[in-house]
Amino acid sequence: MIIDDLKNIAVIGLGYVGLPLAVEFGKKYNTVGFDIDLARIRDLVGGVDKTLECSSADILLCPYLKFTSDEKALHDANVFIVTVPTPIDSHNQPDLTPLINASELVARYISQGDLVIYESTVYPGATEEICVPILEIISGLTLNKGFTVGYSPERINPGDRTHTVTKIIKVTSGSDEASAIVVDKLYSTIIEAGTFRAGSIKVAEAAKVIENTQRDVNIALINELAIIFNKLNIDTNEVLEAAGTKWNFLPFKPGLVGGHCIGVDPYYLTHKAQSVNYQPEVILSGRRINDGMGRYVAATLIRAMLKKDISVNGSSILIMGFTFKENCPDIRNTRVIDIVNELNEYNIDVDVYDPCCNPMDVKEHFNIDTLPEILVGKYDAAIIAVPHTQFLDYGATFIRGVCKESSVIFDLKSVFSKHDTDLRL
């Protein structure tokens, strides 16, 4: 296959990763955006993206893009790009079910000379060890003879309007030299920032999984430092500000680590490491620290309430923000739920308010009824868990005002001055 042969592209999975990609390809190539979620397809046909990654104009004015949940529409595609999620299960083990299902789907429609590109985050080797055999068995074709495979890891940052898909360098790779060149040239037609061709699919897979593992470990270090400094009665943010005057100090901050990338990807790497009889120490230690921050936040808040003689049993606490990050509607793997669950153990009345997320999604996945608006004067404490722009616009005075006269304000991301709140991480 040469770049001029690329006539029909199919993007499988239209979430935070797939939709922006489909929109960009749909500006230049005949593109089918496929998803098994019928409601998602109906929304997109109407120009509505509930992830807020693409505007109505982006979707409706894209000249060569069509959306469908009918797999027969994949029949004419010759390039298949898989962008389905790769979550973890309740035991923190990789759940490859969406990836396997997508591979089976694609395998039913690939034909001689077609190209399959995976973008889903996996452990090194997964594409060739898990996906390729499925493609070969179902299609009856052989890798690099009947079809070729590429891997180009996604680098979408949900809610980021600056570092959009075309503005981030794209790592590419292929199952042989020829396919690697084709994959790289294909992405170079839409990626303004340029591409980087990795030496192999495994290298590209590994590069992706360590991007978020590195961030996870660094945040874990800062979280541990925050715990230490809290015990020493030292303001962590003042320490970071002072240390940040050195040119090579890395600007990480403490906080909850959730979402479908940083809180998940390290477990893919540790799973693979354990499969070759290596027990990761630093990575898993960092994961334990970050996964325990919700319990730490709840315990710290309760101690502060007791110091103010505020009765914990039967108290009311407001949690502001439930999504995994600011200005983003995504609630997948949000670690705010850890705070809610821990506080519920103390017979505390917990209210959750988040203007960015869908209340029905929160109810369905977490059985929590979010507030339509904040109830003024009810609360013994408030936790600013996610620094949505709307909360910053409220200001610390307003947040203090929705609480009782004797109360505790816990600013997890230190978006307000330490003089305006009682606690900061």
Side-chain angles (χ1 to χ4, degrees):
M1 177 182 287
I2 59 176
I3 194 71
D4 293 336
D5 294 331
L6 300 173
K7 302 297 183 182
N8 296 288
I9 295 175
V11 178
I12 314 299
L14 299 174
Y16 285 85
V17 176
L19 178 62
L21 196 67
V23 166
E24 292 304 323
F25 277 123
K27 295 176 181 178
K28 297 189 175 186
Y29 306 99
N30 291 326
T31 303
V32 172
F34 175 87
D35 202 289
I36 60 175
D37 187 340
L38 297 178
R40 175 69 166 161
I41 294 298
R42 285 195 295 268
D43 284 343
L44 294 176
V45 169
V48 177
D49 172 25
K50 290 185 177 179
T51 70
L52 305 181
E53 292 301 307
C54 296
S55 67
S56 294
D58 290 333
I59 298 169
L60 297 177
L61 300 180
C62 198
Y64 306 115
L65 175 60
K66 296 181 179 180
F67 300 107
T68 185
S69 58
D70 183 0
E71 66 175 68
K72 294 179 181 178
L74 305 178
H75 185 272
D76 295 328
N78 56 8
V79 177
F80 300 82
I81 303 177
V82 177
T83 61
V84 296
T86 45
I88 53 176
D89 62 21
S90 58
H91 301 290
N92 293 329
Q93 293 299 304
D95 179 5
L96 296 177
T97 304
L99 190 65
I100 291 171
N101 290 342
S103 296
E104 292 173 344
L105 170 68
V106 170
R108 293 195 290 270
Y109 292 95
I110 59 173
S111 55
Q112 184 69 33
D114 286 356
L115 170 64
V116 183
I117 304 172
Y118 289 89
E119 290 213 4
S120 305
T121 302
V122 291
Y123 53 76
T127 300
E128 292 158 301
E129 296 166 8
I130 304 295
C131 302
V132 168
I134 294 173
L135 297 175
E136 289 184 321
I137 292 171
I138 295 178
S139 71
L141 301 172
T142 303
L143 179 66
N144 295 334
K145 293 182 180 179
F147 69 95
T148 52
V149 167
Y151 184 81
S152 181
E154 61 89 3
R155 280 179 166 172
I156 294 293
N157 186 25
D160 190 336
R161 300 296 173 258
T162 300
H163 302 97
T164 53
V165 63
T166 64
K167 303 295 194 302
I168 304 172
I169 294 174
K170 202 82 166 71
V171 175
T172 66
S173 64
S175 54
D176 61 12
E177 182 68 17
S179 62
I181 293 172
V182 171
V183 172
D184 194 71
K185 286 186 176 180
L186 173 62
Y187 280 104
S188 69
T189 64
I190 66 167
I191 304 298
E192 298 173 15
T195 60
F196 178 91
R197 184 149 63 97
S200 68
I201 287 177
K202 285 184 179 180
V203 167
E205 291 169 325
K208 169 56 183 177
V209 80
I210 71 165
E211 288 176 13
N212 288 322
T213 300
Q214 182 188 63
R215 286 182 54 78
D216 190 47
V217 170
N218 276 286
I219 296 171
L221 170 62
I222 302 302
N223 276 335
E224 186 166 56
L225 292 175
I227 294 172
I228 294 171
F229 293 145
N230 178 265
K231 291 181 176 295
L232 297 175
N233 197 29
I234 301 173
D235 187 281
T236 302
N237 288 274
E238 292 185 358
V239 175
L240 294 177
E241 183 181 5
T245 59
K246 191 168 187 282
W247 77 93
N248 60 353
F249 185 81
L250 301 178
F252 288 93
K253 290 189 175 182
L256 303 176
V257 182
H260 47 90
C261 289
I262 300 180
V264 172
D265 296 355
Y267 286 121
Y268 273 75
L269 183 56
T270 57
H271 167 81
K272 186 63 176 180
Q274 290 165 338
S275 74
V276 292
N277 298 317
Y278 179 78
Q279 180 65 20
E281 300 292 343
V282 174
I283 299 172
L284 288 177
S285 176
R287 281 280 74 236
R288 285 191 294 271
I289 291 172
N290 287 341
D291 280 347
M293 287 305 291
R295 293 188 299 274
Y296 172 76
V297 167
T300 302
L301 176 65
I302 288 171
R303 285 195 297 270
M305 292 172 65
L306 293 174
K307 287 182 180 180
K308 282 195 171 186
D309 292 324
I310 300 173
S311 177
V312 173
N313 187 31
S315 62
S316 294
I317 294 179
L318 172 67
I319 295 183
M320 302 178 66
F322 193 77
T323 60
F324 88 89
K325 67 177 294 187
E326 62 272 16
N327 305 319
C328 171
D330 197 346
I331 60 173
R332 285 179 296 172
N333 197 35
T334 175
R335 302 283 29 112
V336 179
I337 188 61
D338 298 339
I339 303 175
V340 175
N341 290 338
E342 193 70 16
L343 292 176
N344 283 333
E345 292 292 321
Y346 291 87
N347 191 34
I348 293 172
D349 177 22
V350 180
D351 282 350
V352 176
Y353 175 70
D354 191 322
C356 291
C357 64
N358 186 324
M360 291 185 293
D361 289 341
V362 179
K363 180 65 175 178
E364 177 184 353
H365 294 287
F366 299 98
N367 196 30
I368 293 175
D369 294 307
T370 57
L371 295 177
E373 59 183 17
I374 297 175
L375 304 176
V376 178
K378 173 184 177 182
Y379 303 105
D380 298 288
I383 300 175
I384 307 164
V386 187
H388 294 313
T389 299
Q390 182 171 326
F391 297 160
L392 274 61
D393 291 341
Y394 284 164
T397 301
F398 171 83
I399 297 173
R400 179 72 71 180
V402 305
C403 295
K404 298 175 182 177
E405 184 175 350
S406 178
S407 57
V408 177
I409 308 297
F410 198 163
D411 181 5
L412 297 193
K413 300 294 289 185
S414 300
V415 292
F416 298 115
S417 164
K418 71 174 184 178
H419 303 294
D420 293 326
T421 58
D422 302 288
L423 296 170
R424 303 196 299 176
L425 274 182

mmCIF file of all heavy atoms in Angstrom, residues 6-30:
data_model
loop_
_atom_site.group_PDB
_atom_site.id
_atom_site.type_symbol
_atom_site.label_atom_id
_atom_site.label_comp_id
_atom_site.label_asym_id
_atom_site.label_seq_id
_atom_site.Cartn_x
_atom_site.Cartn_y
_atom_site.Cartn_z
ATOM 1 N N LEU A 6 -4.681 5.377 -0.213
ATOM 2 C CA LEU A 6 -5.538 5.540 0.960
ATOM 3 C C LEU A 6 -6.816 6.267 0.564
ATOM 4 O O LEU A 6 -6.828 7.472 0.378
ATOM 5 C CB LEU A 6 -4.799 6.307 2.051
ATOM 6 C CG LEU A 6 -3.515 5.642 2.563
ATOM 7 C CD1 LEU A 6 -2.790 6.561 3.514
ATOM 8 C CD2 LEU A 6 -3.842 4.326 3.253
ATOM 9 N N LYS A 7 -7.868 5.498 0.418
ATOM 10 C CA LYS A 7 -9.132 6.078 -0.027
ATOM 11 C C LYS A 7 -10.193 6.096 1.060
ATOM 12 O O LYS A 7 -10.999 7.007 1.145
ATOM 13 C CB LYS A 7 -9.666 5.294 -1.230
ATOM 14 C CG LYS A 7 -8.714 5.236 -2.423
ATOM 15 C CD LYS A 7 -8.454 6.610 -3.006
ATOM 16 C CE LYS A 7 -7.560 6.490 -4.229
ATOM 17 N NZ LYS A 7 -7.242 7.827 -4.801
ATOM 18 N N ASN A 8 -10.195 5.067 1.888
ATOM 19 C CA ASN A 8 -11.256 4.927 2.881
ATOM 20 C C ASN A 8 -10.685 4.533 4.241
ATOM 21 O O ASN A 8 -10.048 3.481 4.367
ATOM 22 C CB ASN A 8 -12.263 3.875 2.423
ATOM 23 C CG ASN A 8 -12.983 4.284 1.149
ATOM 24 O OD1 ASN A 8 -13.827 5.169 1.162
ATOM 25 N ND2 ASN A 8 -12.632 3.647 0.038
ATOM 26 N N ILE A 9 -10.925 5.381 5.224
ATOM 27 C CA ILE A 9 -10.417 5.152 6.576
ATOM 28 C C ILE A 9 -11.591 4.872 7.506
ATOM 29 O O ILE A 9 -12.630 5.531 7.431
ATOM 30 C CB ILE A 9 -9.622 6.374 7.076
ATOM 31 C CG1 ILE A 9 -8.362 6.574 6.218
ATOM 32 C CG2 ILE A 9 -9.255 6.229 8.556
ATOM 33 C CD1 ILE A 9 -7.583 7.814 6.552
ATOM 34 N N ALA A 10 -11.425 3.901 8.392
ATOM 35 C CA ALA A 10 -12.427 3.606 9.411
ATOM 36 C C ALA A 10 -11.798 3.779 10.779
ATOM 37 O O ALA A 10 -10.758 3.176 11.061
ATOM 38 C CB ALA A 10 -12.966 2.189 9.255
ATOM 39 N N VAL A 11 -12.395 4.606 11.606
ATOM 40 C CA VAL A 11 -11.924 4.815 12.971
ATOM 41 C C VAL A 11 -12.877 4.062 13.891
ATOM 42 O O VAL A 11 -14.073 4.358 13.936
ATOM 43 C CB VAL A 11 -11.876 6.308 13.342
ATOM 44 C CG1 VAL A 11 -11.436 6.482 14.788
ATOM 45 C CG2 VAL A 11 -10.926 7.053 12.408
ATOM 46 N N ILE A 12 -12.336 3.089 14.625
ATOM 47 C CA ILE A 12 -13.151 2.225 15.471
ATOM 48 C C ILE A 12 -13.077 2.717 16.912
ATOM 49 O O ILE A 12 -12.049 2.606 17.573
ATOM 50 C CB ILE A 12 -12.660 0.760 15.405
ATOM 51 C CG1 ILE A 12 -12.400 0.338 13.959
ATOM 52 C CG2 ILE A 12 -13.643 -0.161 16.106
ATOM 53 C CD1 ILE A 12 -13.616 0.384 13.071
ATOM 54 N N GLY A 13 -14.180 3.273 17.419
ATOM 55 C CA GLY A 13 -14.207 3.838 18.767
ATOM 56 C C GLY A 13 -14.166 5.346 18.689
ATOM 57 O O GLY A 13 -13.168 5.918 18.217
ATOM 58 N N LEU A 14 -15.213 6.006 19.142
ATOM 59 C CA LEU A 14 -15.333 7.461 18.964
ATOM 60 C C LEU A 14 -15.396 8.198 20.301
ATOM 61 O O LEU A 14 -16.255 9.054 20.519
ATOM 62 C CB LEU A 14 -16.568 7.787 18.114
ATOM 63 C CG LEU A 14 -16.548 7.202 16.697
ATOM 64 C CD1 LEU A 14 -17.869 7.467 15.994
ATOM 65 C CD2 LEU A 14 -15.385 7.784 15.892
ATOM 66 N N GLY A 15 -14.460 7.876 21.174
ATOM 67 C CA GLY A 15 -14.362 8.566 22.441
ATOM 68 C C GLY A 15 -13.440 9.763 22.351
ATOM 69 O O GLY A 15 -13.314 10.405 21.300
ATOM 70 N N TYR A 16 -12.745 10.058 23.445
ATOM 71 C CA TYR A 16 -11.839 11.206 23.503
ATOM 72 C C TYR A 16 -10.731 11.110 22.468
ATOM 73 O O TYR A 16 -10.235 12.125 21.987
ATOM 74 C CB TYR A 16 -11.220 11.303 24.895
ATOM 75 C CG TYR A 16 -12.156 11.836 25.945
ATOM 76 C CD1 TYR A 16 -13.029 10.986 26.614
ATOM 77 C CD2 TYR A 16 -12.190 13.191 26.263
ATOM 78 C CE1 TYR A 16 -13.903 11.466 27.570
ATOM 79 C CE2 TYR A 16 -13.056 13.680 27.217
ATOM 80 C CZ TYR A 16 -13.922 12.811 27.869
ATOM 81 O OH TYR A 16 -14.789 13.297 28.810
ATOM 82 N N VAL A 17 -10.324 9.899 22.132
ATOM 83 C CA VAL A 17 -9.234 9.694 21.173
ATOM 84 C C VAL A 17 -9.759 9.604 19.751
ATOM 85 O O VAL A 17 -9.284 10.286 18.843
ATOM 86 C CB VAL A 17 -8.441 8.422 21.519
ATOM 87 C CG1 VAL A 17 -7.370 8.150 20.469
ATOM 88 C CG2 VAL A 17 -7.819 8.543 22.896
ATOM 89 N N GLY A 18 -10.754 8.746 19.547
ATOM 90 C CA GLY A 18 -11.207 8.450 18.193
ATOM 91 C C GLY A 18 -11.888 9.587 17.478
ATOM 92 O O GLY A 18 -11.665 9.799 16.281
ATOM 93 N N LEU A 19 -12.744 10.332 18.181
ATOM 94 C CA LEU A 19 -13.499 11.382 17.499
ATOM 95 C C LEU A 19 -12.607 12.483 16.927
ATOM 96 O O LEU A 19 -12.734 12.810 15.736
ATOM 97 C CB LEU A 19 -14.561 11.977 18.423
ATOM 98 C CG LEU A 19 -15.373 13.117 17.787
ATOM 99 C CD1 LEU A 19 -16.133 12.617 16.569
ATOM 100 C CD2 LEU A 19 -16.326 13.740 18.800
ATOM 101 N N PRO A 20 -11.707 13.099 17.728
ATOM 102 C CA PRO A 20 -10.844 14.131 17.131
ATOM 103 C C PRO A 20 -10.024 13.610 15.956
ATOM 104 O O PRO A 20 -9.790 14.328 14.977
ATOM 105 C CB PRO A 20 -9.938 14.546 18.304
ATOM 106 C CG PRO A 20 -10.715 14.196 19.524
ATOM 107 C CD PRO A 20 -11.449 12.938 19.169
ATOM 108 N N LEU A 21 -9.598 12.355 16.053
ATOM 109 C CA LEU A 21 -8.825 11.757 14.966
ATOM 110 C C LEU A 21 -9.695 11.599 13.719
ATOM 111 O O LEU A 21 -9.268 11.924 12.601
ATOM 112 C CB LEU A 21 -8.281 10.405 15.415
ATOM 113 C CG LEU A 21 -7.154 9.798 14.587
ATOM 114 C CD1 LEU A 21 -5.891 10.628 14.711
ATOM 115 C CD2 LEU A 21 -6.901 8.363 15.032
ATOM 116 N N ALA A 22 -10.919 11.094 13.898
ATOM 117 C CA ALA A 22 -11.828 10.922 12.770
ATOM 118 C C ALA A 22 -12.142 12.249 12.100
ATOM 119 O O ALA A 22 -12.220 12.339 10.868
ATOM 120 C CB ALA A 22 -13.120 10.243 13.244
ATOM 121 N N VAL A 23 -12.299 13.289 12.904
ATOM 122 C CA VAL A 23 -12.585 14.620 12.360
ATOM 123 C C VAL A 23 -11.430 15.105 11.494
ATOM 124 O O VAL A 23 -11.635 15.631 10.387
ATOM 125 C CB VAL A 23 -12.878 15.628 13.498
ATOM 126 C CG1 VAL A 23 -12.835 17.062 12.979
ATOM 127 C CG2 VAL A 23 -14.234 15.331 14.126
ATOM 128 N N GLU A 24 -10.201 14.915 11.969
ATOM 129 C CA GLU A 24 -9.043 15.385 11.191
ATOM 130 C C GLU A 24 -8.882 14.588 9.903
ATOM 131 O O GLU A 24 -8.638 15.158 8.843
ATOM 132 C CB GLU A 24 -7.771 15.300 12.038
ATOM 133 C CG GLU A 24 -7.741 16.265 13.204
ATOM 134 C CD GLU A 24 -7.929 17.712 12.788
ATOM 135 O OE1 GLU A 24 -7.412 18.104 11.713
ATOM 136 O OE2 GLU A 24 -8.597 18.448 13.536
ATOM 137 N N PHE A 25 -9.025 13.275 9.977
ATOM 138 C CA PHE A 25 -8.929 12.473 8.758
ATOM 139 C C PHE A 25 -10.088 12.761 7.822
ATOM 140 O O PHE A 25 -9.935 12.745 6.592
ATOM 141 C CB PHE A 25 -8.883 10.977 9.098
ATOM 142 C CG PHE A 25 -7.523 10.476 9.473
ATOM 143 C CD1 PHE A 25 -7.308 9.858 10.695
ATOM 144 C CD2 PHE A 25 -6.449 10.625 8.606
ATOM 145 C CE1 PHE A 25 -6.046 9.394 11.045
ATOM 146 C CE2 PHE A 25 -5.183 10.161 8.947
ATOM 147 C CZ PHE A 25 -4.979 9.544 10.172
ATOM 148 N N GLY A 26 -11.259 13.043 8.399
ATOM 149 C CA GLY A 26 -12.438 13.319 7.597
ATOM 150 C C GLY A 26 -12.363 14.615 6.817
ATOM 151 O O GLY A 26 -13.212 14.878 5.962
ATOM 152 N N LYS A 27 -11.378 15.437 7.111
ATOM 153 C CA LYS A 27 -11.172 16.659 6.332
ATOM 154 C C LYS A 27 -10.465 16.372 5.010
ATOM 155 O O LYS A 27 -10.514 17.189 4.089
ATOM 156 C CB LYS A 27 -10.341 17.659 7.143
ATOM 157 C CG LYS A 27 -11.028 18.180 8.400
ATOM 158 C CD LYS A 27 -10.086 19.083 9.195
ATOM 159 C CE LYS A 27 -10.760 19.582 10.467
ATOM 160 N NZ LYS A 27 -9.852 20.435 11.288
ATOM 161 N N LYS A 28 -9.811 15.184 4.916
ATOM 162 C CA LYS A 28 -9.000 14.884 3.734
ATOM 163 C C LYS A 28 -9.341 13.557 3.060
ATOM 164 O O LYS A 28 -9.091 13.389 1.863
ATOM 165 C CB LYS A 28 -7.515 14.871 4.113
ATOM 166 C CG LYS A 28 -6.995 16.210 4.600
ATOM 167 C CD LYS A 28 -5.484 16.197 4.754
ATOM 168 C CE LYS A 28 -4.970 17.578 5.126
ATOM 169 N NZ LYS A 28 -3.493 17.638 5.151
ATOM 170 N N TYR A 29 -9.867 12.615 3.843
ATOM 171 C CA TYR A 29 -10.132 11.278 3.308
ATOM 172 C C TYR A 29 -11.563 10.868 3.611
ATOM 173 O O TYR A 29 -12.167 11.327 4.583
ATOM 174 C CB TYR A 29 -9.194 10.241 3.943
ATOM 175 C CG TYR A 29 -7.721 10.557 3.835
ATOM 176 C CD1 TYR A 29 -7.046 11.143 4.913
ATOM 177 C CD2 TYR A 29 -7.006 10.271 2.683
ATOM 178 C CE1 TYR A 29 -5.693 11.433 4.832
ATOM 179 C CE2 TYR A 29 -5.647 10.548 2.581
ATOM 180 C CZ TYR A 29 -4.993 11.133 3.663
ATOM 181 O OH TYR A 29 -3.654 11.421 3.583
ATOM 182 N N ASN A 30 -12.101 9.957 2.772
ATOM 183 C CA ASN A 30 -13.380 9.340 3.105
ATOM 184 C C ASN A 30 -13.199 8.570 4.402
ATOM 185 O O ASN A 30 -12.386 7.649 4.475
ATOM 186 C CB ASN A 30 -13.820 8.392 1.994
ATOM 187 C CG ASN A 30 -14.187 9.125 0.723
ATOM 188 O OD1 ASN A 30 -14.719 10.232 0.770
ATOM 189 N ND2 ASN A 30 -13.916 8.517 -0.423
#
